[in-house]
Amino acid sequence: MKTKIGFCLAFIMTMVLLGCAQEKNVQADEMLKDETKQNEIMTAIVEDHEMMMNMMDHIKKNDHAMQMMRGDSVMMYDMMQGNQMVDLMRGSPKMMGTMMQHMMKMATEDTTACKAMGSMMMGNEHMMRMMQDLMHEKGMMGNGKTSQMHMEQHQHDN
């Protein structure tokens, strides 16, 4: 008899706890439907370093989220315009190397991109001098006159 009462009490308690748990899920779902609550939650996440890092980990692990990030050309453009990418590369030489490798691969596979990159570099006086100096050091270019003639020939070809 005591066993039956104990079993009934355990069953009732389990049902009550399950009911409470389901109610909490409904409250969370309902809260997320409210735009004001959504904004409060998102603001709380982005203003808390630890929660933001956790959110970024979730984004990195989710294919859909990563596709959305890659596909957001406005965000990417804003990051490049605001010097955030430059700051990121300055702070991480490894990141800069990875980005340059991807750009070089793209240039190898796409002649239009390659010409555009080459034209940009040739249009930048500092970059031109740096490349000439590197080529001279590697024995790829002769004296200054030969270098100048080679560069002028290359510019006329384009």
Side-chain angles (χ1 to χ4, degrees):
M1 183 71 154
K2 288 183 181 180
T3 318
K4 285 184 180 180
I5 293 173
F7 179 73
C8 286
L9 282 173
F11 181 74
I12 291 170
M13 292 296 273
T14 303
M15 296 311 272
V16 168
L17 288 173
L18 285 174
C20 290
Q22 288 177 351
E23 184 62 32
K24 286 182 183 176
N25 286 339
V26 171
Q27 289 175 353
D29 288 343
E30 289 300 315
M31 187 174 18
L32 290 172
K33 288 179 184 174
D34 179 7
E35 191 174 335
T36 304
K37 292 291 184 191
Q38 279 181 11
N39 288 331
E40 288 175 11
I41 292 166
M42 287 187 247
T43 300
I45 291 171
V46 298
E47 289 179 354
D48 182 287
H49 181 77
E50 196 170 314
M51 284 197 294
M52 188 63 192
M53 295 301 289
N54 189 10
M55 177 62 75
M56 289 170 59
D57 286 340
H58 278 77
I59 290 170
K60 288 180 209 171
K61 293 175 186 172
N62 184 290
D63 288 337
H64 180 250
M66 287 303 293
Q67 287 174 359
M68 286 183 69
M69 294 282 286
R70 285 185 202 107
D72 192 341
S73 58
V74 172
M75 179 185 66
M76 294 296 182
Y77 184 78
D78 287 347
M79 286 174 65
M80 285 184 232
Q81 289 300 105
N83 285 334
Q84 288 146 328
M85 287 297 227
V86 172
D87 293 343
L88 181 64
M89 287 190 289
R90 274 195 188 121
S92 175
K94 184 178 177 184
M95 171 78 72
M96 183 178 67
T98 300
M99 288 179 77
M100 289 299 293
Q101 285 176 343
H102 287 289
M103 289 175 65
M104 296 299 287
K105 183 177 185 235
M106 179 184 65
T108 301
E109 296 170 352
D110 182 346
T111 56
T112 303
C114 186
K115 285 184 179 184
M117 285 174 55
S119 294
M120 286 178 107
M121 287 192 289
M122 288 179 69
N124 182 302
E125 219 174 295
H126 176 72
M127 184 62 76
M128 266 299 268
R129 281 196 205 115
M130 182 79 73
M131 292 301 293
Q132 285 175 339
D133 290 347
L134 286 171
M135 290 172 75
H136 189 73
E137 285 175 21
K138 301 272 182 197
M140 298 169 74
M141 293 179 71
N143 62 26
K145 289 181 183 177
T146 307
S147 298
Q148 185 63 34
M149 287 174 26
H150 178 74
M151 297 312 270
E152 287 174 3
Q153 178 63 40
H154 188 73
Q155 285 176 339
H156 291 295
D157 291 343
N158 288 334

